[in-house]
Amino acid sequence: MEREGRAVGAASGELVTIGEFARLSRLSAKALRRYDELGLLRPALVDPVNGYRYYDPAQVEGARLVAWLRRIGMPLSRIGRIVALDAGAAAVEIRAYWARVEAETAARRDLAMYLVDHLSAEDRAMSRIPGSTGNTDGTGSTGNAGSTGNAGGTGNAGGTGRTGSSGGAEGMGSRGGRGRSGSGVPGGPGVLGGPMEVPLAIRCAALTDTGAVRTANQDAAFAGPRLLAVADGFGEGGAEASAAAIEALKPAAWGGGDGALSAADLLNALEDTADSASRAVRDAVAPCADPDGSGTTLTAMLWTGSRLGLVHIGDSRAYLLRGGELFRITHDHSLVQSMIDDGSLSREEAASHPGPALLLKALVGKARSAAVAVACRPDVRLQEVLAGDRYLLCSDGLSAVVDEAELRAAVIAAEAPEEAVRRLVGLAHEAGGPDNVACVVADVVVAAEEEQPRGR
């Protein structure tokens, strides 16, 4: 019967049997039946009497696309969405998927390198202690050069808009220390040592602004003794999401105290706080009509008293001013950044890219499976700390409209963090202020100099 159907289909030039279609598409009949059951590739006709499946040869291209997407490891649920799109939209979705895969691989690579460095240093330390069976404390690999020492300075709250946008900093005087860098290049690999040699302190300020176009402010910023953070909310519950993410990172929530943490303990603490922020965002946007469409970016630096960690997800950014040079120390989780990474878009072209600001990772209201939730976690890293550093954290309401040369000039020219954040928000307004703006500026100084005015 199937042979007869096959002959009829081939002779008519219209429908073919599943066996013939399997040959044309280079898929097994078993795979085709599975794709039918999942709704990925329906037969053109199913015989109501014998249940035989018949396909249109025009379906071959779609069948091959499903097979190719499976070969790159794409989940069937996502394939189902892609095969329903036109070619251009499908290409965008595939690029976004693969960029996320590469970002997740890079994050796992960084963690693997940290573990190699950490365990190698531990082995070296133990080999220097005859008969030692203990565990050394306080070696960690950094993925990027980073930020702050500790203790306070003054903060500057600012901005207008909806509840949930926050700013501010607290005066403080706790003592920190100085890290040991394994690399002189900001952003390069390094090693954090134990207790620091020179007590450090931070002067910091935060400011948010609605901008010249938006009617509500969904950005949030915070600068305090243990935390520097910016978050850029989006969707119906964006303001609530950005505020909740930062609130979850405050010391009272993550248990930051005056006691020093080892590198391993700090990494664990960063993972825990990142998970807390994710849960806080889901809870904050749950009352929304479409919680899946709401969320926030988050870029934050947490200080324990002797060590510093970075938590980052989305396209808000952190910059380091060191030695007169401005370095970006975070990597955008965006489609445009992935196109820059794979060479399909230059940085100059990216500045005027007409496409939407599609995020590959963010804290969102949608509940995810355990595997997906792990893959979409924020990046966490340890950062080195040097006296004289100045750090800038900002949402894309600043970085997307003001180029890095102007950012550098403004950050260098300002005498104090309070002046710096005002200058930066002013630059965003001069560029048209198309989006909300959030920024934090922090200076790392020797604790004894904390009360002295600082020139640039």
Side-chain angles (χ1 to χ4, degrees):
M1 184 70 171
E2 183 172 344
R3 287 195 299 273
E4 180 182 347
R6 173 175 172 174
V8 170
S12 66
E14 296 176 355
L15 302 184
V16 297
T17 64
I18 189 171
E20 177 66 9
F21 191 74
R23 185 188 67 79
L24 293 173
S25 63
R26 298 186 180 181
L27 294 172
S28 68
K30 180 179 179 181
L32 290 173
R33 285 190 288 269
R34 176 64 172 159
Y35 294 161
D36 179 15
E37 293 168 359
L38 295 172
L40 296 178
L41 187 67
R42 297 290 194 189
L45 174 68
V46 177
D47 190 303
V49 177
N50 56 32
Y52 288 166
R53 296 172 171 86
Y54 295 91
Y55 293 83
D56 189 326
Q59 293 179 279
V60 167
E61 191 67 24
R64 289 176 177 171
L65 176 60
V66 172
W68 291 332
L69 293 176
R70 287 296 293 155
R71 287 180 67 181
I72 66 173
M74 184 176 289
L76 289 171
S77 59
R78 187 158 186 167
I79 291 175
R81 296 195 299 271
I82 288 178
V83 296
L85 300 173
D86 60 46
V92 170
E93 284 293 318
I94 294 169
R95 179 184 292 278
Y97 166 77
W98 192 249
R100 197 186 78 179
V101 170
E102 291 184 326
E104 293 161 3
T105 301
R108 290 195 294 270
R109 180 196 63 218
D110 289 347
L111 179 57
M113 290 303 97
Y114 158 73
L115 292 171
V116 170
D117 289 348
H118 177 71
L119 295 174
S120 297
E122 181 176 293
D123 182 64
R124 288 193 299 272
M126 292 178 66
S127 68
R128 291 194 295 267
I129 305 175
S132 172
T133 58
N135 187 13
T136 58
D137 177 22
T139 303
S141 166
T142 65
N144 288 309
S147 138
T148 68
N150 186 32
T154 59
N156 184 346
T160 59
R162 295 173 60 180
T163 303
S165 173
S166 62
E170 307 167 31
M172 57 188 263
S174 66
R175 296 167 65 85
R178 169 127 174 233
R180 177 171 57 88
S181 172
S183 169
V185 180
V191 177
L192 290 177
M196 298 181 184
E197 299 169 359
V198 179
L200 298 178
I202 292 177
R203 298 191 186 109
C204 53
L207 185 63
T208 67
D209 187 88
T210 305
V213 176
R214 301 290 178 90
T215 58
N217 193 351
Q218 294 186 311
D219 283 8
F222 182 86
R226 301 292 189 190
L227 174 66
L228 307 170
V230 296
D232 181 356
F234 56 85
E236 176 190 357
E240 292 77 12
S242 60
I246 290 180
E247 191 65 31
L249 295 188
K250 289 183 178 178
W254 65 277
D258 292 331
L261 294 178
S262 70
D265 287 341
L266 178 53
L267 280 173
N268 288 338
L270 291 173
E271 292 280 3
D272 290 344
T273 55
D275 290 344
S276 296
S278 297
R279 290 192 297 270
V281 168
R282 289 198 298 272
D283 291 344
V285 303
C288 297
D290 180 22
D292 292 356
S294 297
T296 186
T297 69
L298 178 66
T299 300
M301 292 178 168
L302 293 84
W303 176 247
T304 69
S306 65
R307 298 182 184 279
L308 178 83
L310 173 70
V311 177
H312 169 70
I313 188 168
D315 62 357
S316 293
R317 293 180 176 180
Y319 294 89
L320 162 64
L321 180 68
R322 177 180 291 173
E325 295 296 325
L326 189 69
F327 304 92
R328 174 150 61 104
I329 59 174
T330 53
H331 197 74
D332 293 351
H333 300 133
S334 67
L335 179 59
V336 167
Q337 182 63 56
S338 75
M339 295 172 71
I340 295 173
D341 294 341
D342 67 21
S344 60
L345 197 67
S346 70
R347 293 190 180 278
E348 293 72 22
E349 292 168 333
S352 57
H353 189 265
L358 177 62
L359 293 176
L360 301 180
K361 291 187 0 178
L363 301 179
V364 296
K366 182 179 180 180
R368 295 167 165 142
S369 66
V372 174
V374 169
C376 294
R377 275 180 173 172
D379 297 341
V380 296
R381 293 186 177 91
L382 302 186
Q383 306 295 329
E384 67 170 336
V385 181
L386 298 176
D389 288 345
R390 172 169 277 186
Y391 294 90
L392 164 64
L393 281 64
C394 66
S395 64
D396 69 340
L398 178 64
S399 60
V401 298
V402 179
D403 65 37
E404 290 191 5
E406 290 183 281
L407 288 180
R408 174 181 175 275
V411 172
I412 288 176
E415 290 290 328
E418 293 86 355
E419 179 186 352
V421 293
R422 289 194 295 269
R423 282 177 179 260
L424 293 166
V425 170
L427 286 176
H429 273 273
E430 290 173 12
D435 198 358
N436 305 150
V437 184
C439 58
V440 169
V441 172
D443 289 346
V444 181
V445 300
V446 176
E449 302 172 352
E450 199 273 333
E451 297 300 328
Q452 300 295 323
R454 180 179 180 186
R456 304 304 304 171

